[in-house]
Every structure is written in C-alpha cells, then in structure tokens.
C-alpha cells in the first residue's frame, strides 16, 4: 500500500517539475484556504482574487521552498501576507455589508434540509459574531477552527508570538460563545 | 485534506463545537474556472522554466563571444598603450632640447666648472640662458642619476627640467650668476654692488642658492667656493687683498677681465694694461700731491694686478 505523500513531499516534487504533485496539493488545500479568504475578505470576488494571488505566489516560489515548516503553515503565511497587503491597499477594512448574511446563505450549503432551520440561526449568529471580531482575532480563530493549526503555527503565519495568539484566540472564542448564547 | 499528521494541539470542547458551526457556515468553493486558471498557471510555470533554461544556454554562447571579444580588444589596447609609452613622463612634457639629453656619468661639480668658462665672454642673453638650461639639465640628470640610479634621460629630466624650462636663468644670469660677472657688459646691478660693498661674491652667494635649487650639494658647494674666491679677490678697501692662488690660465684671464670691468674705461685708457705704467702714473700722482687720487688708483691697481708686488714707496698710500 502506497503511503500518501505529505504536503512537503508534494511541494518539493512540484519544485522539480512534477505538475501532478501540484494538482494533488492544490486539491487538498483549495477549499479550506478559499473559505479562510472568504471569511476575511467577505466579498466573493475579492476572495477569489486573493486566492489566485496566493497560489501564484506558491507557484513562483516553488524552487525556493524548503520544508523547514509545515506546508500549511507556509501556505497560510502567504495568505496572511496577502491579506495584509490587501488591507494596507484599502487603508481600512470595509464594514460588513448589510446583506452579509444573505450573501453567506447564497453559498451552497452541504447540510441536510432537516437541520437547516436550527443550524441557520446558529450560523447566522456565528457569522455576525465573526464579522464583529477584529481582523487579527478573526484570522486567528479561523485558522484555529478551520485548519486546526496549533498556536505556534498560527504565530508563524501571523508573525506574532504564541502568547499573543493565545490571547487573541481567547478573546475571539469568548465573543463567539457569547454571541451564540444570546 | 491536509497533511496526515495529527494536530499538535487538539481543539478543546468549546473550540470543537464552534468549529462544527463554523464549518457549517456557507463555505463557498473556488469556481471551476478559477481552479483551471490556477492549474494552468502551475503547468505553464514548469514549461516556461525549461524553455528559459534552453534560451539561456543558447544565448550564453553569443554573450560569451561578445564579452570575450571586448576583453580581447581592451587587452590589446592596453598593451599597445604601454608599449608606446616608455615612461611615466611623456616626451611631450619635457621641454624641447632637454628630452634629448643623455645622462652623463660625470661629477656635478666638475661639470659646473667646465660650464663656466665658455660663458665668460658672452653677455647675459637668451643663448646663454639656453646654454645654461642645458647645463642645468645635465646637472639635474646627473643629480637624479645619483639618487635614483636611473639612466634614462626622460625619466630623470622631467620633474626638474620642467621647473627650469621657463628659464629662470635669465633673471639669475643678470643678478647673481657668478659667471656673468666676468663679462664686459656688466649689469648695473653688479657695478652697484661693487660700489656699495665691494664684495661681489657676497651678494651673489645667496642668489646662487636659488639658482641651483634642486641641484646636488656638490654643485652648490662648488658654486659657493667660486663665489667666495671671487669675493676674496674683488674685495675693496675694507678687506685687505689676499693674494689669490694662481689658477689656470683661463681662470686668470677671466679674473683679469672681471677686474677690468671694475675700472672705469677712461682710467683703463689712461693707465693701460701694463702694471709698470700703472706704477709710474701712481708715483706721478703722488709726487704731484694728488694723494687721494693716487690711493684710488693704487687700489684699482691692486685689483687689476693682484699678483704684482707693490713698490715700497707706494705702500704708504695703502695706509689710511
């Protein structure tokens, strides 16, 4: 039984010219990364633009890649930097659009219809709570909840220490829980 | 989806619950068009890099060829320049006439001594200055050769002759060059000096230094000695005339001509060149009671004929 290649092995293979390795790698991370960008950028088109830029940077840096850290850490570090550039270019983070919930609901929902009513309210509240979080806390909590990254890995991605990540995560989780319970 | 590795820090219960809700949120997926674009970019990057490698190798040949040719041309040019420039001092920088000078392995002082006699009959002129320039150049060459050991004239001459090129000697010739004193057409400066101090060499000694600045010490010493010797022979009333050592015939003639220049032409015409005639005339003046004139003529006689023993009857005139 052939063991599945790790992300690092796939990236190194792509650096030597194996385009198939990149396809596997892309299929593994396209979804979580896009969701992450969507949560941060709020606009689907902006999320797609940032998403494409991130992968272009991965392609460009394929020969310089060194497996000193996890590939996911490296990938989300690029995403974080791209988001930072995006916010800097905008000079400020745009406020949440008034129809943010409706926009989010237009996205395909994999859940069964039987649970849509109960879960709808949960998701709506969580969505609003996430919108109200500061950008750094939101980014931290999304990396933690969606990617299940460790605090140290999140610190590598966002460029802060572990304690700062821990603090941000604690504040974010408290707000989310508070919002859900109201 | 991600790496097969387990997370280092598993989610807490609270985090797991929120993660469940978060994953239930409308997640959204990248469109198929976006997926195709990204995958195409990845494959194009691989194909493009291999093409660039081929292109780079293909261009290096021509690039190397151009670079090699440029380096070769540069090297040829540099070697040609070095071959045609023999010394740091280009010939054009050396004044005309001096560049052709060849270094002579001669003593500087001896050269100087040989230099002076030919100049005694000539008035300070540009020709004299030029000739002296040549002699100076030769002196400079010998001096530099002594110092550096180089034998090439061009190398030696350049720094010093550049200074001498504007011919400082015309000024020096007029004012202080000892050799000019012997000329008949003496400059008024010399006459004035004689009248004032009576010591020619004294006044010429300092300027001689500037004249020979940069020359060897031997040459300077030789010049000083000459000046001092001349000063000794040309001293007037204040200093007793010390008998000058007999010199060579040429030197004696030079001295004689120098003395003649100190006496007024009318006196020379009256007394002539014969020392006996001088003595006779001085006695005549003494007998006529013209003591002052007799004393004057006697002092002039001493200058003219320093080797002539003054008769006893005229010695009294020497005393004040």
């Amino acid at each position: 039984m052939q063991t599945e290649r790790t992300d690092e092995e796939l990236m190194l293979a792509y650096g030597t010219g194996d385009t198939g390795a990149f396809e596997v790698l892309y299929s593994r991370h396209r979804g979580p990364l896009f969701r992450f960008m969507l949560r941060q950028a709020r606009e689907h088109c902006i999320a797609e633009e940032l998403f494409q830029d991130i992968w272009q940077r991965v392609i460009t840096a394929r020969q310089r890649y060194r497996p000193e850290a996890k590939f996911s850490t490296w990938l989300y570090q690029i995403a974080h930097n791209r988001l930072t550039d995006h916010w800097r270019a905008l000079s400020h983070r745009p406020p949440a659009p008034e129809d943010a919930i409706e926009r989010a609901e237009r996205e395909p929902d994999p859940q069964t219809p039987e649970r849509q009513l109960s879960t709808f309210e949960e998701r709506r509240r969580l969505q609003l709570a996430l919108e109200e979080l500061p950008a750094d806390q939101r980014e931290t909590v999304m990396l933690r909840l969606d990617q299940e990254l460790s605090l140290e890995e999140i610190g590598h991605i966002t460029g802060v220490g572990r304690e700062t990540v821990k603090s941000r995560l604690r504040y974010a989780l408290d707000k989310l829980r508070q919002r859900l319970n109201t | 989806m991600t790496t097969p590795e387990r997370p280092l820090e598993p989610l807490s219960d609270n985090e797991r619950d929120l993660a469940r809700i978060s994953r239930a949120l409308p997640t959204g997926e990248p469109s198929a068009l976006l997926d195709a674009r990204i995958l195409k970019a990845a494959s194009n990057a691989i194909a493009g890099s291999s093409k660039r490698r081929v292109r780079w190798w293909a261009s290096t040949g021509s690039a190397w060829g151009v670079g090699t040719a440029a380096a070769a041309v540069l090297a040829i040019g540099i070697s040609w320049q070095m071959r045609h420039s023999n010394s740091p001092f280009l010939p054009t920088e050396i004044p005309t006439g001096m560049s052709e000078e060849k270094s002579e392995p001669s003593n500087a002082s001896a050269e100087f001594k040989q230099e002076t006699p030919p100049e005694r009959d000539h008035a300070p002129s540009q020709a004299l200055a030029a000739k002296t320039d040549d002699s100076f150049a030769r002196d400079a060459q010998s001096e530099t050769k002594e110092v550096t050991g180089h034998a090439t004239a061009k190398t030696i001459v350049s720094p010093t002759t550049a200074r001498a090129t504007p011919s400082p000697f015309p000024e020096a010739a007029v004012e202080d060059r000892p050799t000019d004193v012997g000329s008949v057409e003496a400059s008024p400066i010399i006459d004035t000096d004689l009248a004032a101090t009576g010591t020619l060499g004294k006044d010429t000694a300092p300027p001689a230094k500037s004249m020979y600045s940069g020359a060897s010490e031997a040459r300077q010493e030789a010049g000083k000695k000459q000046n001092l010797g001349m000063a000794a022979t040309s001293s007037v009333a204040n200093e007793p005339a010390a008998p000058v050592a007999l010199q060579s015939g040429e030197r004696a003639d030079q001295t004689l001509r120098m003395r003649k220049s100190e006496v007024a032409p009318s006196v020379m015409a009256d007394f002539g060149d014969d020392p006996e005639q001088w003595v006779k005339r001085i006695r005549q003046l003494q007998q006529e009671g013209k003591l002052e004139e007799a004393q004057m003529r006697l002092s002039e006689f001493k200058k003219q004929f320093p080797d002539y023993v003054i008769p006893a009857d005229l010695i009294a005139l020497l005393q004040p």
Side-chain angles (χ1 to χ4, degrees), chain A residues 44-63:
Chain A
H44 194 274
C45 57
I46 296 175
E48 281 196 341
E49 179 184 344
L50 300 178
F51 181 81
Q52 184 175 352
D53 290 344
I54 292 167
W55 284 108
Q56 184 59 53
R57 293 187 181 186
V58 170
I59 292 168
T60 304
R62 67 188 181 280
Q63 293 179 337

Side-chain angles (χ1 to χ4, degrees), chain B residues 282-299:
Chain B
I282 293 171
R283 280 204 183 100
Q284 186 177 358
L285 290 170
Q286 187 184 29
Q287 291 168 2
E288 292 174 354
K290 299 176 181 178
L291 298 181
E292 289 184 4
E293 187 178 354
Q295 286 177 348
M296 194 182 303
R297 295 295 171 252
L298 183 60
S299 64

Side-chain angles (χ1 to χ4, degrees), chain B residues 68-246:
Chain B
T68 305
V73 169
L74 185 64
I76 291 172
I78 292 174
S79 61
W80 183 83
Q81 285 287 340
M82 292 176 64
R83 185 156 24 105
H84 285 75
S85 63
N86 296 332
S87 71
F89 303 103
L90 297 178
T92 55
E93 295 178 2
I94 300 175
T96 307
M98 296 185 180
S99 61
E100 299 176 0
E101 293 289 346
K102 289 185 171 54
S103 61
E104 301 172 10
S106 58
N107 192 317
S109 59
E111 258 188 339
F112 168 70
K113 289 178 181 176
Q114 295 173 4
E115 289 293 321
T116 50
E119 299 166 0
R120 62 180 183 272
D121 293 329
H122 302 289
S125 62
Q126 207 161 10
L128 179 62
K131 188 176 176 61
T132 315
D133 288 342
D134 295 342
S135 63
F136 183 79
R138 282 196 290 273
D139 295 338
Q141 292 173 20
S142 61
E143 174 207 358
T144 310
K145 189 183 178 188
E146 291 171 3
V147 174
T148 62
H150 290 174
T152 57
K154 295 174 184 175
T155 307
I156 292 171
V157 171
S158 178
T160 53
T161 53
R163 187 174 57 247
T165 304
S167 60
F169 291 97
E171 295 82 2
V174 172
E175 294 177 356
D176 56 332
R177 191 155 2 126
T179 57
D180 285 334
V181 179
S183 63
V184 176
E185 300 175 356
S187 64
I189 296 174
I190 298 175
D191 290 338
T192 304
D193 291 339
L194 284 175
T197 62
T199 57
L200 176 65
K202 207 178 191 180
D203 294 327
T204 57
K209 290 181 182 177
S210 63
M211 175 177 153
Y212 295 110
S213 60
S216 63
E217 292 183 359
R219 188 167 61 255
Q220 290 181 2
E221 287 299 325
K224 288 179 183 176
K225 285 180 182 176
Q226 183 185 9
N227 294 338
L228 290 174
M230 289 157 52
T233 54
S234 63
S235 61
V236 205
N238 294 338
E239 298 177 4
V244 178
L246 289 176

